[in-house]
Amino acid sequence: MEKIILTGDRPTGKLHLGHFAGSLQKRVELQNNFEQYIMIADLQAITDNDVGVVKKNILELMKDYISVGLDPHKTTFLLQSEIPELTEITFYYMNLVTVSRLERNPTVKNEIQQKNFDNSIPAGFLCYPVSQAADITAFQADYVPVGNDQLPLIEQTNEIVRKFNAKYNTHTLKEVEPILSKTERLVGIDGKAKASKSLGNAIMLSDSEQEIKDKVFAMYTDPNHIHVSDPGRVEGNVVFEYLSAFYDKHDHLQELKENYQKGGLGDIYLKKLLNQVLQELLAPIRERRSKLENSEMYSILYEGTQKARSKAQQTLKQIKKSMDLNFFSI
Ligand code: TRP
């Protein structure tokens, strides 16, 4: 039997090149060799966003998925909020983890800092790793492809799995393995922070030709590289970071790096090259995206959710059986 993979995204915005390099490309590859589930984690998103905002992004996210080449015949798409079994499982798992353990989870800790919650952290937000453990185990995933920043969530899941099996003396739940993505998170065009839609420093998959060009020409390079003849720095230079991620002529790139460091290669030349590379990458995706209908995205998500739900129902049954939680059925 094919091994099962589960990944997910919060629908808080459309996807950008950072997602493409970090996870989408990988998922397109993985769908050929695994039973892949992709979850739109709208319940996780509403732990700190308005429902209205989250709802608006669901079909946009579906369009991003389909336009990069994820195939609904190979990948099952599902919507978290339409699978209430996930919420029920989350509730049972909450007793297997302490508040202080959740507060120490590095992923959560980081996000709490970024989001300036101070002392008003929603309990639901603090508990989202528990809900993520429910997602992963409900579909009996073998692997979860993640970036480095999400690794503590996998650890937390496996702790819950072990606790559950030990406490109820069962083998119902199985541990999951991460598949680490090689690429570090892509830097934003300002060179200051990682690319993100909310910071406005990301190239979106749905950006127009002109928007892509404007963003490439606004990229941070080396502020001390004033004349073409000046030696320039490659490290921390956003244009080179993007070329490294998206330009497949590695020998040519190496040559360009050397010439830039020596002096004699201008930013404009490099930005023109990067613009060309990104336009070629994104034009077919944008083209496909523009032909996708909301009704079609809705159907794909609906069908996938029904299929995924029956799997979660089976797991929930086993979970309750292991817990001996069955008062009315005895
Ligand atoms: N935490 C993920 C994010 O930040 C989304 C997510 C929810 C997820 N449940 C998941 C990822 C299960 C992998 C597996 O976007």
Side-chain angles (χ1 to χ4, degrees):
M1 241 189 27
E2 273 184 337
K3 295 278 190 186
I4 298 174
I5 286 208
L6 175 81
T7 59
D9 298 293
R10 296 175 220 188
T12 49
K14 293 184 200 173
L15 300 183
H16 52 69
L17 272 180
H19 297 111
F20 186 80
S23 63
L24 293 175
Q25 266 179 319
K26 184 91 193 176
R27 293 178 191 177
V28 172
E29 214 181 284
L30 291 170
Q31 69 180 347
N32 295 315
N33 303 312
F34 294 91
E35 183 179 343
Q36 177 166 253
Y37 291 83
I38 297 183
M39 183 174 81
I40 299 190
D42 59 340
L43 290 185
Q44 194 173 109
I46 63 168
T47 58
D48 68 322
N49 286 278
D50 290 334
V51 175
V53 175
V54 169
K55 236 174 155 174
K56 268 203 317 246
N57 285 312
I58 293 172
L59 296 183
E60 294 301 321
L61 199 53
M62 281 300 298
K63 286 185 182 175
D64 284 333
Y65 290 149
I66 302 298
S67 63
V68 298
L70 285 163
D71 176 353
H73 298 291
K74 297 180 179 169
T75 293
T76 304
F77 299 94
L78 57 122
L79 185 62
Q80 192 180 28
S81 62
E82 291 290 347
I83 306 187
E85 289 74 15
L86 297 175
T87 313
E88 187 173 340
I89 296 172
T90 303
F91 199 73
Y92 301 143
Y93 289 177
M94 291 229 240
N95 302 321
L96 305 174
V97 32
T98 64
V99 172
S100 68
R101 173 66 179 92
L102 289 168
E103 283 170 342
R104 270 186 285 116
N105 184 312
T107 311
V108 177
K109 228 169 147 175
N110 252 335
E111 277 180 287
I112 287 172
Q113 258 168 16
Q114 278 168 15
K115 291 173 198 261
N116 293 322
F117 283 135
D118 296 320
N119 286 325
S120 50
I121 308 160
F125 186 86
L126 193 64
C127 293
Y128 95 68
V130 184
S131 128
Q132 190 149 325
D135 304 335
I136 292 169
T137 51
F139 304 107
Q140 295 166 26
D142 298 286
Y143 301 104
V144 178
V146 286
N148 264 326
D149 57 328
Q150 296 260 313
L151 265 186
L153 296 175
I154 305 296
E155 247 171 71
Q156 182 104 63
T157 299
N158 285 335
E159 278 176 36
I160 290 173
V161 165
R162 288 192 292 266
K163 262 244 172 88
F164 183 94
N165 287 343
K167 182 167 179 175
Y168 300 111
N169 192 20
T170 171
H171 298 290
T172 302
L173 302 182
K174 69 178 166 203
E175 292 193 42
V176 67
E177 273 179 57
I179 299 181
L180 262 185
S181 55
K182 280 181 250 83
T183 25
E184 287 294 310
R185 279 189 58 192
L186 194 69
V187 69
I189 61 168
D190 54 4
K192 284 189 201 134
K194 299 296 172 195
S196 92
K197 181 172 191 244
S198 54
L199 295 175
N201 65 355
I203 296 179
M204 309 306 294
L205 296 182
S206 52
D207 273 352
S208 67
E209 186 176 346
Q210 188 62 43
E211 282 167 323
I212 295 166
K213 189 171 174 200
D214 290 345
K215 286 179 185 173
V216 168
F217 279 81
M219 276 181 180
Y220 178 87
T221 57
D222 173 1
N224 297 318
H225 183 246
I226 298 163
H227 306 290
V228 172
S229 57
D230 291 341
R233 273 177 65 90
V234 165
E235 299 76 32
N237 185 319
V238 178
V239 178
F240 275 110
E241 295 218 16
Y242 276 63
L243 283 172
S244 301
F246 301 106
Y247 187 43
D248 54 12
K249 299 205 172 83
H250 302 289
D251 292 344
H252 186 219
L253 178 59
Q254 191 51 34
E255 229 174 86
L256 292 173
K257 282 183 181 170
E258 284 162 21
N259 290 341
Y260 192 78
Q261 282 165 328
K262 259 192 293 191
L265 183 57
D267 282 356
I268 300 291
Y269 175 88
L270 292 169
K271 286 183 170 175
K272 276 188 180 157
L273 173 65
L274 177 61
N275 182 50
Q276 194 191 332
V277 169
L278 294 184
Q279 298 290 357
E280 275 171 26
L281 174 72
L282 294 175
I285 295 175
R286 189 172 53 236
E287 175 99 350
R288 250 177 277 146
R289 197 178 204 287
S290 70
K291 294 195 188 111
L292 298 173
E293 304 277 354
N294 281 344
S295 58
E296 191 190 351
M297 299 302 102
Y298 182 97
S299 305
I300 294 172
L301 187 56
Y302 182 85
E303 296 295 328
T305 303
Q306 304 318 309
K307 177 182 157 193
R309 185 170 182 193
S310 69
K311 189 141 195 150
Q313 279 165 338
Q314 286 168 25
T315 309
L316 175 61
K317 245 192 213 157
Q318 290 168 6
I319 287 176
K320 290 184 71 173
K321 191 160 181 260
S322 311
M323 293 172 71
D324 200 21
L325 198 60
N326 55 359
F327 192 76
F328 279 151
S329 53
I330 36 173

